[in-house]
Amino acid sequence: MIRILLSRKLGELRWTQADLARKTGIRPNTINDLYHEMTDRVSLEQIDLICEALNCDLIELLVGVPNSVSELNSRNRLGELKKDT
């Protein structure tokens, strides 16, 4: 799974979500979703804007974490969670 480390990076820099939204032009709701890792998709353009504004590398914002076996077994071939029927 991919973890979004935006909350950590903003904390290190003592920036608010509103600061980042103003600096990048990205909607505050989008910043909030990234901050709380509540999004499934993010555009490369947005990631680029965030990295530029925060003066950081991609690896400081996104990191891959191994999936657990139970999580892998609960996903279908499209990566969506299977529904129990």
Side-chain angles (χ1 to χ4, degrees):
M1 86 193 278
I2 304 297
R3 296 288 319 268
I4 304 170
L5 305 177
L6 183 59
S7 62
R8 179 187 300 174
K9 189 64 180 172
L10 288 180
E12 289 172 3
L13 298 173
R14 299 198 189 289
W15 280 36
T16 65
Q17 293 179 45
D19 293 334
L20 184 59
R22 278 190 295 274
K23 186 77 171 176
T24 61
I26 298 171
R27 291 183 27 226
N29 288 348
T30 302
I31 298 292
N32 185 64
D33 288 349
L34 291 167
Y35 184 91
H36 292 288
E37 298 184 80
M38 297 184 331
T39 187
D40 292 330
R41 294 183 171 95
V42 61
S43 79
L44 295 176
E45 181 180 356
Q46 290 172 336
I47 292 295
D48 187 49
L49 287 169
I50 292 169
C51 285
E52 187 175 319
L54 299 179
N55 193 30
C56 69
D57 292 324
L58 181 62
I59 196 161
E60 296 176 70
L61 289 180
L62 302 175
V63 63
V65 177
N67 292 318
S68 67
V69 173
S70 62
E71 185 178 51
L72 290 173
N73 289 335
S74 67
R75 294 187 180 273
N76 67 20
R77 65 180 177 83
L78 298 175
E80 299 167 345
L81 288 176
K82 291 182 182 177
K83 294 183 176 138
D84 293 332
T85 54

